[in-house]
Amino acid sequence: MRPRHACDDVRRAQEFRAYVAGAGGRLLHTATLLTAEPPGANPRAQRLLALALARTYACWDRLHGEDPYDHTRRYLMIRFALGTLRYGARLPFRPAPGGPLAGLSPQERLILVMRLHEGIGEDQTAALLGLPAERVRAVQNRAMALLLRPAPGPAPSLGRRAGTVPS
């Protein structure tokens, strides 16, 4: 191993800062969607992103030719998936009321974010999650049906009183 030089550390830190300045907002939005927290109050999403960025920074010199965004995004989603498997919906990723995807399960949120927000293909999503493509498709369809279902409530009024017959 060669000794690390101070100029290498400075260059590495500058490159990483520029990367975070460019990609940090989108990555935080992705983490916020995964944790189903409201955008203004997202401490779990911030922690999830901090862990993913720390991992990316640790691997920065080994990312030759690899897209750091893909690396960070992959780790972000893996970390989320492992956290939900380990703790279930109890501790780290219980959705706060008001998040746009709060009504979905962690797996549904993960698949929707990967497929629709990040644009990852169905086969690649299936490979990353270790699921058959048919399962990914079924979960995505179920999640979309849940999101697109009208909110429960009173039926809309048609503008006339019940029992009257139009003339």
Side-chain angles (χ1 to χ4, degrees):
M1 274 180 121
R2 67 179 179 94
R4 189 173 287 265
H5 297 282
C7 62
D8 290 341
D9 290 340
V10 169
R11 177 197 48 82
R12 178 181 192 213
Q14 288 174 339
E15 288 175 355
F16 187 74
R17 269 195 298 274
Y19 162 68
V20 172
R26 181 167 173 90
L27 287 166
L28 180 60
H29 185 66
T30 299
T32 302
L33 288 173
L34 287 172
T35 59
E37 296 173 298
N42 54 3
R44 290 183 294 271
Q46 291 175 8
R47 177 159 170 67
L48 185 63
L49 178 58
L51 292 170
L53 288 173
R55 171 72 180 242
T56 301
Y57 186 71
C59 299
W60 192 258
D61 290 333
R62 292 177 286 175
L63 291 177
H64 303 294
E66 187 179 343
D67 183 12
Y69 183 83
D70 279 344
H71 184 270
T72 307
R73 177 181 65 186
R74 187 175 336 117
Y75 187 76
L76 183 78
M77 293 184 184
I78 289 170
R79 182 75 184 196
F80 173 77
L82 290 175
T84 56
L85 288 176
R86 183 178 304 129
Y87 299 109
R90 289 189 328 251
L91 293 175
F93 300 111
R94 184 179 323 156
L101 303 179
L104 302 177
S105 73
Q107 184 183 48
E108 291 168 340
R109 287 194 311 266
L110 179 61
I111 288 175
L112 274 188
V113 169
M114 290 176 81
R115 295 279 295 123
L116 301 179
H117 180 66
E118 291 295 326
I120 300 173
E122 187 176 283
D123 293 333
Q124 189 178 4
T125 300
L128 284 171
L129 297 177
L131 297 171
E134 295 79 24
R135 174 76 176 145
V136 169
R137 189 177 313 113
V139 170
Q140 179 182 347
N141 290 340
R142 182 179 64 231
M144 288 302 299
L146 287 171
L147 285 178
L148 297 175
R149 180 176 40 195
S157 170
L158 296 177
R160 55 179 187 240
R161 295 188 313 188
T164 61
V165 179
S167 341

